Amino acid sequence: MRILLTGAAGFIGGRIAGLLGEAGHDVVGLDVMLDKAHLPGATLPAGVRRADVRDPAALDPLLAGVDAVCHQAAMVGNGVDAQDLAGYAAHNDLGTAVLLAAMARAGVGRLVLASSMVVYGEGRYVCREHGEVPPLTRRAADLDAGVFDPRCPHCEALLSWALVDETAPIRPRSSYAVSKVAQEQYAAAWATLEAGRCVALRYHNVYGPDMPADTPYSGVAAVFRSALERGAAPQVFEDGGQMRDFVHVDDVARANVVALERVGEHDVGVAAYNVCSGQPRSIAQMAGALADAFGGEQPILTGRHRAADVRHVVASPAAAVDGLGFTAAVPPEQGLRTFAHAPLRPTR
């Protein structure tokens, strides 16, 4: 297949480009080289054009003869403050809308979209007495007292986490999350209008070589790894008991290749899948494993907290197994061991 890959010079996009080439696909890559992910003046990888998905004049010639699009280009991270709102809307919302319009002009009807676990907002929670319930907003008094798990809206008992599958309610809590929901909704509108097929891959906590370093827009794994490299201890918020699923970038890239090769088999519309390791770990466990593998300072549980943070989001991998035939191959212990000494991407 001939595939247009947006964000082809990025942390995930670069890995996808390599795997697509190895699988014999013809890749047309583009990247605008945002400074939050690349050093100013960074060299483009071979075969990648500097172009903006918000520019129809740049997209139209690149889409000629293309069979499918893999859309990775985005401003990432959860946002630092409200001043980031416009940036997420401009890059993620507008960029996706312009790309979909160009695909319609070119008659390209297959899309794999990089989505995210953040569309779920809070994860899934269970009360012993009342079953599955939406959690109450965490109270400042609880957080100050070191009580970090959310409470039941009926009896106020502390809740236990459960696996989040793709039927979970969409409840975005950040500017980035809102933009990812918008991308999925734009794709759904395009699919209805153009009889298109889209696979939306909801990435969980991605880590691996070439992650952008030392930036608040990067993932927690890179923040901890950057601290270890400076000779400092990773600073873990709350009590470190926050549960997440850490998935290696090689598995994320492989999920994209599988989705591109199978998207044509899906029904018209958007099919969403979690992309995860299926082996959840707490933030403290992840930080400790990384510190042990690096040979650096052990993590410090700071007790610090942010009211807007999500306590637990733990993915179910079942739908991706059934719908795509995808199962992650890199267990967290192995992946974190190699990540501890892998190069990071400087951004300043």
Side-chain angles (χ1 to χ4, degrees):
M1 287 192 296
R2 184 172 175 84
I3 296 164
L4 176 65
L5 173 62
T6 73
F11 164 50
I12 296 173
R15 266 309 201 265
I16 295 170
L19 282 188
L20 286 172
E22 290 174 14
H25 298 295
D26 181 15
V27 180
V28 179
L30 69 83
D31 203 299
V32 75
M33 303 296 285
L34 283 176
D35 59 8
K36 289 181 175 63
H38 304 275
L39 281 172
T43 303
L44 282 165
V48 178
R49 300 162 176 82
R50 186 184 294 270
D52 194 328
V53 292
R54 299 170 296 180
D55 179 5
L59 289 176
D60 287 344
L62 295 179
L63 281 162
V66 162
D67 299 298
V69 172
C70 185
H71 185 31
Q72 304 295 314
M75 181 173 164
V76 300
N78 279 328
V80 176
D81 55 40
Q83 301 309 308
D84 286 326
L85 285 165
Y88 284 110
H91 286 284
N92 299 0
D93 298 16
L94 179 60
T96 300
V98 172
L99 173 63
L100 291 167
M103 289 173 62
R105 288 193 298 276
V108 179
R110 299 179 182 184
L111 171 67
V112 172
L113 172 68
S115 188
S116 171
M117 69 179 208
V118 296
V119 302
Y120 300 121
E122 288 283 1
R124 183 164 268 166
Y125 294 90
V126 176
C127 172
R128 281 187 185 177
E129 183 176 349
H130 297 100
E132 185 176 322
V133 293
L136 284 174
T137 300
R138 296 192 295 173
R139 300 167 180 162
D142 274 346
L143 295 173
D144 290 341
V147 178
F148 299 115
D149 284 319
R151 295 184 181 274
C152 174
H154 305 296
C155 65
E156 299 197 2
L158 295 178
L159 299 174
S160 301
W161 61 267
L163 293 178
V164 176
D165 64 23
E166 293 79 357
T167 66
I170 300 301
R171 294 176 178 146
R173 291 169 52 113
S174 69
S175 47
Y176 175 60
V178 169
S179 75
K180 283 294 166 183
V181 173
Q183 286 184 306
E184 289 195 20
Q185 295 297 328
Y186 277 117
W190 161 81
T192 298
L193 293 167
E194 300 294 326
R197 292 166 169 81
C198 171
V199 169
L201 298 177
R202 293 174 177 168
Y203 303 159
H204 285 253
N205 293 74
V206 187
Y207 71 96
D210 205 33
M211 282 189 86
D214 289 320
T215 165
Y217 297 93
S218 190
V220 68
V223 172
F224 291 165
R225 166 61 200 285
S226 296
L228 289 165
E229 209 157 72
R230 295 193 303 270
Q235 303 286 306
V236 179
F237 277 26
E238 301 185 8
D239 61 356
Q242 309 95 307
M243 295 299 295
R244 296 291 189 272
D245 188 297
F246 295 93
V247 57
H248 196 274
V249 66
D250 287 349
D251 280 325
V252 174
R254 191 165 54 82
N256 274 272
V257 174
V258 170
L260 283 162
E261 292 176 343
R262 298 192 62 170
V263 63
E265 302 169 12
H266 282 66
D267 293 334
V268 167
V270 177
Y273 297 101
N274 289 326
V275 177
C276 59
S277 72
Q279 300 183 44
R281 298 290 186 274
S282 72
I283 298 291
Q285 286 174 323
M286 185 275 285
L290 198 55
D292 289 344
F294 187 86
E297 296 287 329
Q298 285 298 303
I300 295 172
L301 304 180
T302 67
R304 291 170 56 199
H305 52 80
R306 296 172 294 204
D309 282 357
V310 173
R311 178 62 173 171
H312 306 296
V313 183
V314 182
S316 168
V321 175
D322 292 341
L324 294 176
F326 168 78
T327 303
V330 183
E333 284 72 20
Q334 175 188 330
L336 290 169
R337 205 161 43 240
T338 58
F339 176 60
H341 297 283
L344 298 181
R345 176 181 302 202
T347 56
R348 56 175 174 256

